[in-house]
Amino acid sequence: MKTTSFIAILSFAFLFNSCSKEDPQDNTPEEQTELKLSSYKYTYDRQSPDGGTYQRIRTVNLIDEKFTDFTEERYLNGELVYTESLSQFIYENNFPKKVLNGTQIDDPEAPAYLNFFYNDVQQLIGFHWESNNRYYRISYPQENIVFFDALDGTLDDPDAQIIRRSISEFDQHDNIIRAGRDNDLDGVIDANRENHFTYDQNHNLTSIVLYNGETHNATYSDKKNTYNVILDNSYSKKIRRIVMSEAFSFMSSIESSIFERYSHYLSNQQLSENTYEFVEDFYTKQTHVFYDSDSEFTITNEFFIEE
């Protein structure tokens, strides 16, 4: 059995000046469940036709309705074969400073983090993704416009060049409403490359119209997506969407999951595809069962309330 422990220690402080016109950011949660959630558990269970089983269980601690550290266990035919304990989110001044995001490309067993950098008014100005060793610069030419630049150097390297740029426009509720590529780096989304996004009164993503004319819509229930609420609380809603802004900008086809990732309510499709248990309209348990190659798979997401 392999046991690993990882403690992330920041050895330096990094402050940059920004030309942003925005007000200082704060990370007060947009929405709280008021359920006093203490932890979250993700379970992946595979039952093979020959009777063999594989199970992966990740238990994440919550503090103030934000993800913190976790323990993961893996079982093969009921026997514990792997365990690890890591930090999922590390915070500084109530903002995410490091977020676990995959593994190292050259070492699949080594965790890879997103390392965030802020200016002196706690505004995100860039991050480093350890997995691909890439730095990304964030700038705000207007209050509701964000430039997302992938660089070939570090954030403080004056000779670093922009590899690619995406531009996103936000509404007053930190939702991306327009996004696209800026290949010629002229500060304007390229002609015929704009993707458009529409939201309902609860800020659920209801419509996507891509630059190529593809359109998709989604409808929502009155039940809350607990996981998305906690994830937005952990990143802050706007920072999470900035980090994923390339997905909005470079999108050329639509998957239904994009709606489910960025909405605080469960879609009607989610309600039909999964089974749920609810407390005060927030789900405390979500179960999804599917079959592939004669094996049965069960994925369960559970939230636990302080006793």
Side-chain angles (χ1 to χ4, degrees), residues 148-307:
F148 183 104
D149 296 334
L151 305 177
D152 65 0
T154 62
L155 287 175
D156 60 346
D157 179 1
D159 296 322
Q161 300 295 308
I162 298 173
I163 298 173
R164 62 183 180 272
R165 168 180 288 169
S166 65
I167 299 177
S168 301
E169 180 181 352
F170 287 77
D171 67 12
Q172 67 270 32
H173 302 291
D174 294 334
N175 301 306
I176 292 178
I177 57 175
R178 185 173 65 94
R181 300 171 183 262
D182 179 17
N183 289 329
D184 56 7
L185 305 180
D186 66 350
V188 179
I189 295 176
D190 295 341
N192 302 316
R193 296 293 301 190
E194 283 192 6
N195 295 329
H196 292 264
F197 308 88
T198 305
Y199 302 81
D200 64 17
Q201 69 273 15
N202 292 318
H203 314 306
N204 298 307
L205 178 57
T206 57
S207 175
I208 300 175
V209 180
L210 298 185
Y211 69 90
N212 57 16
E214 183 178 349
T215 302
H216 196 83
N217 301 291
T219 60
Y220 293 85
S221 70
D222 59 356
K223 301 298 184 182
K224 299 293 186 68
N225 188 325
T226 312
Y227 183 85
N228 281 359
V229 171
I230 300 301
L231 194 58
D232 275 356
N233 289 348
S234 301
Y235 274 100
S236 93
K237 180 178 177 179
K238 188 167 187 177
I239 288 176
R240 182 177 170 222
R241 282 147 185 78
I242 289 174
V243 170
M244 293 303 299
S245 58
E246 279 195 335
F248 286 82
S249 298
F250 297 165
M251 191 183 303
S252 59
S253 63
I254 300 173
E255 297 180 2
S256 61
S257 60
I258 191 74
F259 291 92
E260 299 164 1
R261 292 192 196 110
Y262 299 103
S263 300
H264 280 197
Y265 285 72
L266 293 169
S267 70
N268 289 318
Q269 181 175 338
Q270 285 176 294
L271 280 184
S272 67
E273 294 177 344
N274 308 291
T275 59
Y276 291 91
E277 296 177 13
F278 294 96
V279 175
E280 297 181 8
D281 292 334
F282 287 88
Y283 82 74
T284 54
K285 187 174 183 178
Q286 177 196 61
T287 304
H288 180 66
V289 180
F290 64 98
Y291 299 87
D292 186 30
S293 300
D294 296 324
S295 292
E296 180 181 281
F297 298 82
T298 303
I299 296 177
T300 305
N301 295 283
E302 295 180 82
F303 286 89
F304 298 90
I305 300 172
E306 289 182 9
E307 297 182 355

Side-chain angles (χ1 to χ4, degrees), residues 119-130:
N119 61 15
D120 55 2
V121 294
Q122 287 301 119
Q123 187 177 53
L124 181 70
I125 56 172
F127 64 92
H128 174 235
W129 188 17
E130 294 176 353

Side-chain angles (χ1 to χ4, degrees), residues 136-154:
Y136 300 86
R137 182 174 60 210
I138 312 301
S139 57
Y140 309 84
Q142 299 178 35
E143 183 175 353
N144 61 334
I145 302 294
V146 173
F147 286 3
F148 183 104
D149 296 334
L151 305 177
D152 65 0
T154 62

